[in-house]
Amino acid sequence: MIIKANHPCIRYTGRWDITETEAVSTANGNYLEFAFSGDTAVVEFGVEDCVTPYPHVYIAVDGGARIEVPLEKYIRIAAEEGDHTVQIILKGSVETQTRWIPPIQAKTALRSLEADAFIPLPEDTRKTIEFLGDSITEGISIDNNGKYTRYGSHLDMVFWDDSTAGYAWLTAKALNLRPIIMGYGCLGATKGGAGEIPPVCQSYPYYSSDRLMMSANADFVVINHGTNDRGAAAETFREAYYALLSLVRERNPKAEIIALTPFCGALAVEIRETAERFNKERNDKVFCIDTTGWIPPEPLHPTREGNKTVSRNLAQILRETFDIS
């Protein structure tokens, strides 16, 4: 039995552009799930436009250990005869490869699945939490601080990245929320990011340059921008950040919006004051969290332990402030 990417037996979480031919994601931390009967499932990806090194995914069968593999045209999953569940997570990709303007070089594009039979998954009824950020939010260079020093060349740099070890993924997991992660390297409120991503107000409503995204209408939206806006004039940043808050509210009318100050301390005053102004002028309740002192400002990309610290602090504040259940 072969099913296409838009089949209802496949459950997607995150920013997936699903069409009749494929389901495409370029944001690390997005994932898909399915259940099958038999002893083998074959996953087909579209890799024609990809360039090496290909994105890496985690594959977990029946909730077991995640195995990291680079994308290939076909990946075969072997198991004992029976019913099985599979989760495939976009672990990491090279942030400098094109992820916005076709042909997109760093993408995970599911084409089809093959197995004896497929089993419908139950609906995931958890609340959703959306994270808007940069390379820190997508888990770039988490292991580029001594843990895996042998992965030092450009061709091996994708090994440094792990969306599931980033604070965004860990916070969602700690709160039992369904994550929607939009993190792109170098991205900010006043500047575009690596991979030809335009500034966040221009990119947030889209999957890619020519593909408009339906609003996630999330329950919670966490904004972590400002790190890459260092050097921008204070007033320029304030206006861009205000526009971002306006856009997030427009697309998520019922969400609790949380504005984080950058972990490195950049533009913290501007973010707090802009959130206060937005709340006053819009009669809103954007909740600003000052992350000063949570982790050291260096390294700029937190280590695995640094991300765990951020997640513990953030999850505790969110749990104490909002109705998470």
Side-chain angles (χ1 to χ4, degrees), residues 262-286:
F263 309 136
C264 65
L267 298 165
V269 172
E270 288 79 2
I271 289 172
R272 289 195 299 270
E273 292 179 352
T274 302
E276 291 170 2
R277 173 191 160 204
F278 183 84
N279 288 340
K280 182 178 180 180
E281 295 180 356
R282 299 295 188 90
N283 192 28
D284 212 308
K285 296 181 180 179
V286 172

mmCIF file with all atom_site columns, all heavy atoms in Angstrom, residues 262-286:
data_model
loop_
_atom_site.group_PDB
_atom_site.id
_atom_site.type_symbol
_atom_site.label_atom_id
_atom_site.label_alt_id
_atom_site.label_comp_id
_atom_site.label_asym_id
_atom_site.label_entity_id
_atom_site.label_seq_id
_atom_site.pdbx_PDB_ins_code
_atom_site.Cartn_x
_atom_site.Cartn_y
_atom_site.Cartn_z
_atom_site.occupancy
_atom_site.B_iso_or_equiv
_atom_site.pdbx_formal_charge
_atom_site.auth_seq_id
_atom_site.auth_comp_id
_atom_site.auth_asym_id
_atom_site.auth_atom_id
_atom_site.pdbx_PDB_model_num
ATOM 1   N N   . PRO A 1 262 ? 16.611 38.788 24.596 1.00 0.00 ? 262 PRO A N   1
ATOM 2   C CA  . PRO A 1 262 ? 17.648 37.846 24.157 1.00 0.00 ? 262 PRO A CA  1
ATOM 3   C C   . PRO A 1 262 ? 18.541 37.392 25.307 1.00 0.00 ? 262 PRO A C   1
ATOM 4   O O   . PRO A 1 262 ? 18.810 38.147 26.248 1.00 0.00 ? 262 PRO A O   1
ATOM 5   C CB  . PRO A 1 262 ? 18.434 38.657 23.117 1.00 0.00 ? 262 PRO A CB  1
ATOM 6   C CG  . PRO A 1 262 ? 17.440 39.633 22.589 1.00 0.00 ? 262 PRO A CG  1
ATOM 7   C CD  . PRO A 1 262 ? 16.598 40.012 23.777 1.00 0.00 ? 262 PRO A CD  1
ATOM 8   N N   . PHE A 1 263 ? 19.009 36.159 25.207 1.00 0.00 ? 263 PHE A N   1
ATOM 9   C CA  . PHE A 1 263 ? 19.846 35.590 26.256 1.00 0.00 ? 263 PHE A CA  1
ATOM 10  C C   . PHE A 1 263 ? 21.176 36.320 26.384 1.00 0.00 ? 263 PHE A C   1
ATOM 11  O O   . PHE A 1 263 ? 21.809 36.293 27.443 1.00 0.00 ? 263 PHE A O   1
ATOM 12  C CB  . PHE A 1 263 ? 20.088 34.100 25.987 1.00 0.00 ? 263 PHE A CB  1
ATOM 13  C CG  . PHE A 1 263 ? 18.827 33.324 25.729 1.00 0.00 ? 263 PHE A CG  1
ATOM 14  C CD1 . PHE A 1 263 ? 18.759 32.390 24.702 1.00 0.00 ? 263 PHE A CD1 1
ATOM 15  C CD2 . PHE A 1 263 ? 17.690 33.531 26.498 1.00 0.00 ? 263 PHE A CD2 1
ATOM 16  C CE1 . PHE A 1 263 ? 17.596 31.684 24.443 1.00 0.00 ? 263 PHE A CE1 1
ATOM 17  C CE2 . PHE A 1 263 ? 16.518 32.830 26.258 1.00 0.00 ? 263 PHE A CE2 1
ATOM 18  C CZ  . PHE A 1 263 ? 16.475 31.910 25.223 1.00 0.00 ? 263 PHE A CZ  1
ATOM 19  N N   . CYS A 1 264 ? 21.603 36.979 25.315 1.00 0.00 ? 264 CYS A N   1
ATOM 20  C CA  . CYS A 1 264 ? 22.858 37.740 25.347 1.00 0.00 ? 264 CYS A CA  1
ATOM 21  C C   . CYS A 1 264 ? 22.660 39.147 25.910 1.00 0.00 ? 264 CYS A C   1
ATOM 22  O O   . CYS A 1 264 ? 23.634 39.891 26.081 1.00 0.00 ? 264 CYS A O   1
ATOM 23  C CB  . CYS A 1 264 ? 23.482 37.825 23.965 1.00 0.00 ? 264 CYS A CB  1
ATOM 24  S SG  . CYS A 1 264 ? 22.485 38.775 22.775 1.00 0.00 ? 264 CYS A SG  1
ATOM 25  N N   . GLY A 1 265 ? 21.423 39.526 26.181 1.00 0.00 ? 265 GLY A N   1
ATOM 26  C CA  . GLY A 1 265 ? 21.144 40.828 26.760 1.00 0.00 ? 265 GLY A CA  1
ATOM 27  C C   . GLY A 1 265 ? 20.869 41.936 25.773 1.00 0.00 ? 265 GLY A C   1
ATOM 28  O O   . GLY A 1 265 ? 20.564 43.060 26.179 1.00 0.00 ? 265 GLY A O   1
ATOM 29  N N   . ALA A 1 266 ? 20.938 41.658 24.480 1.00 0.00 ? 266 ALA A N   1
ATOM 30  C CA  . ALA A 1 266 ? 20.778 42.705 23.473 1.00 0.00 ? 266 ALA A CA  1
ATOM 31  C C   . ALA A 1 266 ? 19.359 43.264 23.467 1.00 0.00 ? 266 ALA A C   1
ATOM 32  O O   . ALA A 1 266 ? 18.387 42.508 23.538 1.00 0.00 ? 266 ALA A O   1
ATOM 33  C CB  . ALA A 1 266 ? 21.123 42.157 22.090 1.00 0.00 ? 266 ALA A CB  1
ATOM 34  N N   . LEU A 1 267 ? 19.242 44.593 23.405 1.00 0.00 ? 267 LEU A N   1
ATOM 35  C CA  . LEU A 1 267 ? 17.984 45.297 23.170 1.00 0.00 ? 267 LEU A CA  1
ATOM 36  C C   . LEU A 1 267 ? 16.892 44.940 24.173 1.00 0.00 ? 267 LEU A C   1
ATOM 37  O O   . LEU A 1 267 ? 15.694 45.035 23.880 1.00 0.00 ? 267 LEU A O   1
ATOM 38  C CB  . LEU A 1 267 ? 17.494 45.034 21.738 1.00 0.00 ? 267 LEU A CB  1
ATOM 39  C CG  . LEU A 1 267 ? 18.430 45.537 20.633 1.00 0.00 ? 267 LEU A CG  1
ATOM 40  C CD1 . LEU A 1 267 ? 18.073 44.916 19.295 1.00 0.00 ? 267 LEU A CD1 1
ATOM 41  C CD2 . LEU A 1 267 ? 18.365 47.054 20.546 1.00 0.00 ? 267 LEU A CD2 1
ATOM 42  N N   . ALA A 1 268 ? 17.296 44.560 25.368 1.00 0.00 ? 268 ALA A N   1
ATOM 43  C CA  . ALA A 1 268 ? 16.316 44.163 26.384 1.00 0.00 ? 268 ALA A CA  1
ATOM 44  C C   . ALA A 1 268 ? 15.405 45.328 26.758 1.00 0.00 ? 268 ALA A C   1
ATOM 45  O O   . ALA A 1 268 ? 14.184 45.159 26.899 1.00 0.00 ? 268 ALA A O   1
ATOM 46  C CB  . ALA A 1 268 ? 17.027 43.618 27.614 1.00 0.00 ? 268 ALA A CB  1
ATOM 47  N N   . VAL A 1 269 ? 15.974 46.518 26.934 1.00 0.00 ? 269 VAL A N   1
ATOM 48  C CA  . VAL A 1 269 ? 15.170 47.691 27.302 1.00 0.00 ? 269 VAL A CA  1
ATOM 49  C C   . VAL A 1 269 ? 14.180 48.013 26.199 1.00 0.00 ? 269 VAL A C   1
ATOM 50  O O   . VAL A 1 269 ? 12.992 48.278 26.456 1.00 0.00 ? 269 VAL A O   1
ATOM 51  C CB  . VAL A 1 269 ? 16.091 48.896 27.579 1.00 0.00 ? 269 VAL A CB  1
ATOM 52  C CG1 . VAL A 1 269 ? 15.258 50.160 27.757 1.00 0.00 ? 269 VAL A CG1 1
ATOM 53  C CG2 . VAL A 1 269 ? 16.954 48.645 28.805 1.00 0.00 ? 269 VAL A CG2 1
ATOM 54  N N   . GLU A 1 270 ? 14.638 47.980 24.957 1.00 0.00 ? 270 GLU A N   1
ATOM 55  C CA  . GLU A 1 270 ? 13.768 48.285 23.832 1.00 0.00 ? 270 GLU A CA  1
ATOM 56  C C   . GLU A 1 270 ? 12.603 47.304 23.725 1.00 0.00 ? 270 GLU A C   1
ATOM 57  O O   . GLU A 1 270 ? 11.472 47.694 23.410 1.00 0.00 ? 270 GLU A O   1
ATOM 58  C CB  . GLU A 1 270 ? 14.574 48.293 22.532 1.00 0.00 ? 270 GLU A CB  1
ATOM 59  C CG  . GLU A 1 270 ? 15.506 49.477 22.376 1.00 0.00 ? 270 GLU A CG  1
ATOM 60  C CD  . GLU A 1 270 ? 16.803 49.351 23.163 1.00 0.00 ? 270 GLU A CD  1
ATOM 61  O OE1 . GLU A 1 270 ? 17.005 48.306 23.817 1.00 0.00 ? 270 GLU A OE1 1
ATOM 62  O OE2 . GLU A 1 270 ? 17.615 50.283 23.117 1.00 0.00 ? 270 GLU A OE2 1
ATOM 63  N N   . ILE A 1 271 ? 12.873 46.041 23.987 1.00 0.00 ? 271 ILE A N   1
ATOM 64  C CA  . ILE A 1 271 ? 11.810 45.030 23.909 1.00 0.00 ? 271 ILE A CA  1
ATOM 65  C C   . ILE A 1 271 ? 10.782 45.253 25.012 1.00 0.00 ? 271 ILE A C   1
ATOM 66  O O   . ILE A 1 271 ? 9.563  45.232 24.766 1.00 0.00 ? 271 ILE A O   1
ATOM 67  C CB  . ILE A 1 271 ? 12.411 43.616 23.976 1.00 0.00 ? 271 ILE A CB  1
ATOM 68  C CG1 . ILE A 1 271 ? 13.157 43.313 22.681 1.00 0.00 ? 271 ILE A CG1 1
ATOM 69  C CG2 . ILE A 1 271 ? 11.324 42.566 24.231 1.00 0.00 ? 271 ILE A CG2 1
ATOM 70  C CD1 . ILE A 1 271 ? 13.943 42.020 22.703 1.00 0.00 ? 271 ILE A CD1 1
ATOM 71  N N   . ARG A 1 272 ? 11.245 45.479 26.228 1.00 0.00 ? 272 ARG A N   1
ATOM 72  C CA  . ARG A 1 272 ? 10.310 45.711 27.331 1.00 0.00 ? 272 ARG A CA  1
ATOM 73  C C   . ARG A 1 272 ? 9.452  46.956 27.079 1.00 0.00 ? 272 ARG A C   1
ATOM 74  O O   . ARG A 1 272 ? 8.228  46.931 27.254 1.00 0.00 ? 272 ARG A O   1
ATOM 75  C CB  . ARG A 1 272 ? 11.076 45.863 28.648 1.00 0.00 ? 272 ARG A CB  1
ATOM 76  C CG  . ARG A 1 272 ? 11.692 44.578 29.176 1.00 0.00 ? 272 ARG A CG  1
ATOM 77  C CD  . ARG A 1 272 ? 12.103 44.731 30.628 1.00 0.00 ? 272 ARG A CD  1
ATOM 78  N NE  . ARG A 1 272 ? 13.110 45.772 30.791 1.00 0.00 ? 272 ARG A NE  1
ATOM 79  C CZ  . ARG A 1 272 ? 14.421 45.558 30.732 1.00 0.00 ? 272 ARG A CZ  1
ATOM 80  N NH1 . ARG A 1 272 ? 14.874 44.325 30.502 1.00 0.00 ? 272 ARG A NH1 1
ATOM 81  N NH2 . ARG A 1 272 ? 15.279 46.545 30.903 1.00 0.00 ? 272 ARG A NH2 1
ATOM 82  N N   . GLU A 1 273 ? 10.089 48.022 26.654 1.00 0.00 ? 273 GLU A N   1
ATOM 83  C CA  . GLU A 1 273 ? 9.352  49.266 26.439 1.00 0.00 ? 273 GLU A CA  1
ATOM 84  C C   . GLU A 1 273 ? 8.384  49.151 25.263 1.00 0.00 ? 273 GLU A C   1
ATOM 85  O O   . GLU A 1 273 ? 7.285  49.713 25.301 1.00 0.00 ? 273 GLU A O   1
ATOM 86  C CB  . GLU A 1 273 ? 10.329 50.408 26.230 1.00 0.00 ? 273 GLU A CB  1
ATOM 87  C CG  . GLU A 1 273 ? 11.117 50.756 27.490 1.00 0.00 ? 273 GLU A CG  1
ATOM 88  C CD  . GLU A 1 273 ? 12.112 51.890 27.277 1.00 0.00 ? 273 GLU A CD  1
ATOM 89  O OE1 . GLU A 1 273 ? 12.311 52.310 26.116 1.00 0.00 ? 273 GLU A OE1 1
ATOM 90  O OE2 . GLU A 1 273 ? 12.685 52.343 28.280 1.00 0.00 ? 273 GLU A OE2 1
ATOM 91  N N   . THR A 1 274 ? 8.776  48.427 24.231 1.00 0.00 ? 274 THR A N   1
ATOM 92  C CA  . THR A 1 274 ? 7.886  48.245 23.078 1.00 0.00 ? 274 THR A CA  1
ATOM 93  C C   . THR A 1 274 ? 6.681  47.397 23.460 1.00 0.00 ? 274 THR A C   1
ATOM 94  O O   . THR A 1 274 ? 5.548  47.684 23.031 1.00 0.00 ? 274 THR A O   1
ATOM 95  C CB  . THR A 1 274 ? 8.644  47.606 21.902 1.00 0.00 ? 274 THR A CB  1
ATOM 96  O OG1 . THR A 1 274 ? 9.753  48.433 21.553 1.00 0.00 ? 274 THR A OG1 1
ATOM 97  C CG2 . THR A 1 274 ? 7.741  47.444 20.698 1.00 0.00 ? 274 THR A CG2 1
ATOM 98  N N   . ALA A 1 275 ? 6.897  46.349 24.253 1.00 0.00 ? 275 ALA A N   1
ATOM 99  C CA  . ALA A 1 275 ? 5.768  45.529 24.720 1.00 0.00 ? 275 ALA A CA  1
ATOM 100 C C   . ALA A 1 275 ? 4.819  46.358 25.577 1.00 0.00 ? 275 ALA A C   1
ATOM 101 O O   . ALA A 1 275 ? 3.590  46.241 25.457 1.00 0.00 ? 275 ALA A O   1
ATOM 102 C CB  . ALA A 1 275 ? 6.292  44.327 25.501 1.00 0.00 ? 275 ALA A CB  1
ATOM 103 N N   . GLU A 1 276 ? 5.362  47.207 26.443 1.00 0.00 ? 276 GLU A N   1
ATOM 104 C CA  . GLU A 1 276 ? 4.525  48.076 27.281 1.00 0.00 ? 276 GLU A CA  1
ATOM 105 C C   . GLU A 1 276 ? 3.717  49.043 26.414 1.00 0.00 ? 276 GLU A C   1
ATOM 106 O O   . GLU A 1 276 ? 2.518  49.260 26.654 1.00 0.00 ? 276 GLU A O   1
ATOM 107 C CB  . GLU A 1 276 ? 5.407  48.849 28.263 1.00 0.00 ? 276 GLU A CB  1
ATOM 108 C CG  . GLU A 1 276 ? 6.026  47.973 29.339 1.00 0.00 ? 276 GLU A CG  1
ATOM 109 C CD  . GLU A 1 276 ? 7.073  48.706 30.161 1.00 0.00 ? 276 GLU A CD  1
ATOM 110 O OE1 . GLU A 1 276 ? 7.291  49.915 29.904 1.00 0.00 ? 276 GLU A OE1 1
ATOM 111 O OE2 . GLU A 1 276 ? 7.670  48.079 31.065 1.00 0.00 ? 276 GLU A OE2 1
ATOM 112 N N   . ARG A 1 277 ? 4.368  49.635 25.420 1.00 0.00 ? 277 ARG A N   1
ATOM 113 C CA  . ARG A 1 277 ? 3.671  50.549 24.512 1.00 0.00 ? 277 ARG A CA  1
ATOM 114 C C   . ARG A 1 277 ? 2.574  49.819 23.748 1.00 0.00 ? 277 ARG A C   1
ATOM 115 O O   . ARG A 1 277 ? 1.451  50.328 23.599 1.00 0.00 ? 277 ARG A O   1
ATOM 116 C CB  . ARG A 1 277 ? 4.671  51.174 23.546 1.00 0.00 ? 277 ARG A CB  1
ATOM 117 C CG  . ARG A 1 277 ? 4.043  52.023 22.451 1.00 0.00 ? 277 ARG A CG  1
ATOM 118 C CD  . ARG A 1 277 ? 5.075  52.389 21.391 1.00 0.00 ? 277 ARG A CD  1
ATOM 119 N NE  . ARG A 1 277 ? 4.447  52.767 20.136 1.00 0.00 ? 277 ARG A NE  1
ATOM 120 C CZ  . ARG A 1 277 ? 5.044  52.696 18.953 1.00 0.00 ? 277 ARG A CZ  1
ATOM 121 N NH1 . ARG A 1 277 ? 6.281  52.251 18.844 1.00 0.00 ? 277 ARG A NH1 1
ATOM 122 N NH2 . ARG A 1 277 ? 4.396  53.051 17.844 1.00 0.00 ? 277 ARG A NH2 1
ATOM 123 N N   . PHE A 1 278 ? 2.877  48.626 23.253 1.00 0.00 ? 278 PHE A N   1
ATOM 124 C CA  . PHE A 1 278 ? 1.900  47.839 22.496 1.00 0.00 ? 278 PHE A CA  1
ATOM 125 C C   . PHE A 1 278 ? 0.691  47.531 23.370 1.00 0.00 ? 278 PHE A C   1
ATOM 126 O O   . PHE A 1 278 ? -0.460 47.680 22.932 1.00 0.00 ? 278 PHE A O   1
ATOM 127 C CB  . PHE A 1 278 ? 2.545  46.546 22.003 1.00 0.00 ? 278 PHE A CB  1
ATOM 128 C CG  . PHE A 1 278 ? 1.659  45.699 21.147 1.00 0.00 ? 278 PHE A CG  1
ATOM 129 C CD1 . PHE A 1 278 ? 1.538  45.930 19.790 1.00 0.00 ? 278 PHE A CD1 1
ATOM 130 C CD2 . PHE A 1 278 ? 0.927  44.654 21.695 1.00 0.00 ? 278 PHE A CD2 1
ATOM 131 C CE1 . PHE A 1 278 ? 0.717  45.153 18.992 1.00 0.00 ? 278 PHE A CE1 1
ATOM 132 C CE2 . PHE A 1 278 ? 0.097  43.864 20.914 1.00 0.00 ? 278 PHE A CE2 1
ATOM 133 C CZ  . PHE A 1 278 ? -0.006 44.111 19.553 1.00 0.00 ? 278 PHE A CZ  1
ATOM 134 N N   . ASN A 1 279 ? 0.926  47.111 24.600 1.00 0.00 ? 279 ASN A N   1
ATOM 135 C CA  . ASN A 1 279 ? -0.176 46.780 25.501 1.00 0.00 ? 279 ASN A CA  1
ATOM 136 C C   . ASN A 1 279 ? -1.055 47.996 25.776 1.00 0.00 ? 279 ASN A C   1
ATOM 137 O O   . ASN A 1 279 ? -2.289 47.897 25.816 1.00 0.00 ? 279 ASN A O   1
ATOM 138 C CB  . ASN A 1 279 ? 0.369  46.219 26.813 1.00 0.00 ? 279 ASN A CB  1
ATOM 139 C CG  . ASN A 1 279 ? 0.936  44.831 26.655 1.00 0.00 ? 279 ASN A CG  1
ATOM 140 O OD1 . ASN A 1 279 ? 0.611  44.120 25.698 1.00 0.00 ? 279 ASN A OD1 1
ATOM 141 N ND2 . ASN A 1 279 ? 1.789  44.414 27.581 1.00 0.00 ? 279 ASN A ND2 1
ATOM 142 N N   . LYS A 1 280 ? -0.422 49.146 25.959 1.00 0.00 ? 280 LYS A N   1
ATOM 143 C CA  . LYS A 1 280 ? -1.169 50.366 26.260 1.00 0.00 ? 280 LYS A CA  1
ATOM 144 C C   . LYS A 1 280 ? -1.991 50.820 25.061 1.00 0.00 ? 280 LYS A C   1
ATOM 145 O O   . LYS A 1 280 ? -3.167 51.157 25.190 1.00 0.00 ? 280 LYS A O   1
ATOM 146 C CB  . LYS A 1 280 ? -0.205 51.465 26.693 1.00 0.00 ? 280 LYS A CB  1
ATOM 147 C CG  . LYS A 1 280 ? -0.883 52.765 27.074 1.00 0.00 ? 280 LYS A CG  1
ATOM 148 C CD  . LYS A 1 280 ? 0.137  53.799 27.532 1.00 0.00 ? 280 LYS A CD  1
ATOM 149 C CE  . LYS A 1 280 ? -0.546 55.112 27.912 1.00 0.00 ? 280 LYS A CE  1
ATOM 150 N NZ  . LYS A 1 280 ? 0.450  56.130 28.370 1.00 0.00 ? 280 LYS A NZ  1
ATOM 151 N N   . GLU A 1 281 ? -1.375 50.809 23.884 1.00 0.00 ? 281 GLU A N   1
ATOM 152 C CA  . GLU A 1 281 ? -2.055 51.313 22.694 1.00 0.00 ? 281 GLU A CA  1
ATOM 153 C C   . GLU A 1 281 ? -3.078 50.332 22.142 1.00 0.00 ? 281 GLU A C   1
ATOM 154 O O   . GLU A 1 281 ? -4.077 50.749 21.549 1.00 0.00 ? 281 GLU A O   1
ATOM 155 C CB  . GLU A 1 281 ? -1.027 51.652 21.618 1.00 0.00 ? 281 GLU A CB  1
ATOM 156 C CG  . GLU A 1 281 ? -0.103 52.804 22.004 1.00 0.00 ? 281 GLU A CG  1
ATOM 157 C CD  . GLU A 1 281 ? 0.920  53.131 20.926 1.00 0.00 ? 281 GLU A CD  1
ATOM 158 O OE1 . GLU A 1 281 ? 0.967  52.426 19.897 1.00 0.00 ? 281 GLU A OE1 1
ATOM 159 O OE2 . GLU A 1 281 ? 1.677  54.097 21.126 1.00 0.00 ? 281 GLU A OE2 1
ATOM 160 N N   . ARG A 1 282 ? -2.833 49.044 22.313 1.00 0.00 ? 282 ARG A N   1
ATOM 161 C CA  . ARG A 1 282 ? -3.723 48.028 21.745 1.00 0.00 ? 282 ARG A CA  1
ATOM 162 C C   . ARG A 1 282 ? -4.616 47.362 22.800 1.00 0.00 ? 282 ARG A C   1
ATOM 163 O O   . ARG A 1 282 ? -5.365 46.453 22.462 1.00 0.00 ? 282 ARG A O   1
ATOM 164 C CB  . ARG A 1 282 ? -2.886 46.947 21.053 1.00 0.00 ? 282 ARG A CB  1
ATOM 165 C CG  . ARG A 1 282 ? -2.025 47.454 19.907 1.00 0.00 ? 282 ARG A CG  1
ATOM 166 C CD  . ARG A 1 282 ? -2.856 47.973 18.754 1.00 0.00 ? 282 ARG A CD  1
ATOM 167 N NE  . ARG A 1 282 ? -2.044 48.288 17.603 1.00 0.00 ? 282 ARG A NE  1
ATOM 168 C CZ  . ARG A 1 282 ? -1.739 47.429 16.628 1.00 0.00 ? 282 ARG A CZ  1
ATOM 169 N NH1 . ARG A 1 282 ? -2.185 46.190 16.674 1.00 0.00 ? 282 ARG A NH1 1
ATOM 170 N NH2 . ARG A 1 282 ? -0.991 47.812 15.611 1.00 0.00 ? 282 ARG A NH2 1
ATOM 171 N N   . ASN A 1 283 ? -4.490 47.798 24.040 1.00 0.00 ? 283 ASN A N   1
ATOM 172 C CA  . ASN A 1 283 ? -5.226 47.159 25.126 1.00 0.00 ? 283 ASN A CA  1
ATOM 173 C C   . ASN A 1 283 ? -4.983 45.652 25.127 1.00 0.00 ? 283 ASN A C   1
ATOM 174 O O   . ASN A 1 283 ? -5.903 44.837 25.204 1.00 0.00 ? 283 ASN A O   1
ATOM 175 C CB  . ASN A 1 283 ? -6.727 47.449 25.009 1.00 0.00 ? 283 ASN A CB  1
ATOM 176 C CG  . ASN A 1 283 ? -7.496 47.047 26.262 1.00 0.00 ? 283 ASN A CG  1
ATOM 177 O OD1 . ASN A 1 283 ? -6.949 47.046 27.368 1.00 0.00 ? 283 ASN A OD1 1
ATOM 178 N ND2 . ASN A 1 283 ? -8.761 46.689 26.095 1.00 0.00 ? 283 ASN A ND2 1
ATOM 179 N N   . ASP A 1 284 ? -3.715 45.298 25.033 1.00 0.00 ? 284 ASP A N   1
ATOM 180 C CA  . ASP A 1 284 ? -3.307 43.898 24.938 1.00 0.00 ? 284 ASP A CA  1
ATOM 181 C C   . ASP A 1 284 ? -2.571 43.483 26.212 1.00 0.00 ? 284 ASP A C   1
ATOM 182 O O   . ASP A 1 284 ? -2.422 44.294 27.142 1.00 0.00 ? 284 ASP A O   1
ATOM 183 C CB  . ASP A 1 284 ? -2.413 43.689 23.709 1.00 0.00 ? 284 ASP A CB  1
ATOM 184 C CG  . ASP A 1 284 ? -2.584 42.309 23.099 1.00 0.00 ? 284 ASP A CG  1
ATOM 185 O OD1 . ASP A 1 284 ? -2.471 41.311 23.840 1.00 0.00 ? 284 ASP A OD1 1
ATOM 186 O OD2 . ASP A 1 284 ? -2.811 42.211 21.874 1.00 0.00 ? 284 ASP A OD2 1
ATOM 187 N N   . LYS A 1 285 ? -2.131 42.230 26.222 1.00 0.00 ? 285 LYS A N   1
ATOM 188 C CA  . LYS A 1 285 ? -1.463 41.701 27.414 1.00 0.00 ? 285 LYS A CA  1
ATOM 189 C C   . LYS A 1 285 ? -0.206 40.908 27.041 1.00 0.00 ? 285 LYS A C   1
ATOM 190 O O   . LYS A 1 285 ? 0.022  39.808 27.576 1.00 0.00 ? 285 LYS A O   1
ATOM 191 C CB  . LYS A 1 285 ? -2.418 40.816 28.216 1.00 0.00 ? 285 LYS A CB  1
ATOM 192 C CG  . LYS A 1 285 ? -3.624 41.548 28.786 1.00 0.00 ? 285 LYS A CG  1
ATOM 193 C CD  . LYS A 1 285 ? -4.517 40.598 29.581 1.00 0.00 ? 285 LYS A CD  1
ATOM 194 C CE  . LYS A 1 285 ? -5.715 41.341 30.153 1.00 0.00 ? 285 LYS A CE  1
ATOM 195 N NZ  . LYS A 1 285 ? -6.618 40.414 30.921 1.00 0.00 ? 285 LYS A NZ  1
ATOM 196 N N   . VAL A 1 286 ? 0.593  41.427 26.125 1.00 0.00 ? 286 VAL A N   1
ATOM 197 C CA  . VAL A 1 286 ? 1.864  40.763 25.810 1.00 0.00 ? 286 VAL A CA  1
ATOM 198 C C   . VAL A 1 286 ? 2.682  40.664 27.092 1.00 0.00 ? 286 VAL A C   1
ATOM 199 O O   . VAL A 1 286 ? 2.858  41.645 27.821 1.00 0.00 ? 286 VAL A O   1
ATOM 200 C CB  . VAL A 1 286 ? 2.639  41.551 24.742 1.00 0.00 ? 286 VAL A CB  1
ATOM 201 C CG1 . VAL A 1 286 ? 4.036  40.971 24.571 1.00 0.00 ? 286 VAL A CG1 1
ATOM 202 C CG2 . VAL A 1 286 ? 1.881  41.528 23.427 1.00 0.00 ? 286 VAL A CG2 1
#
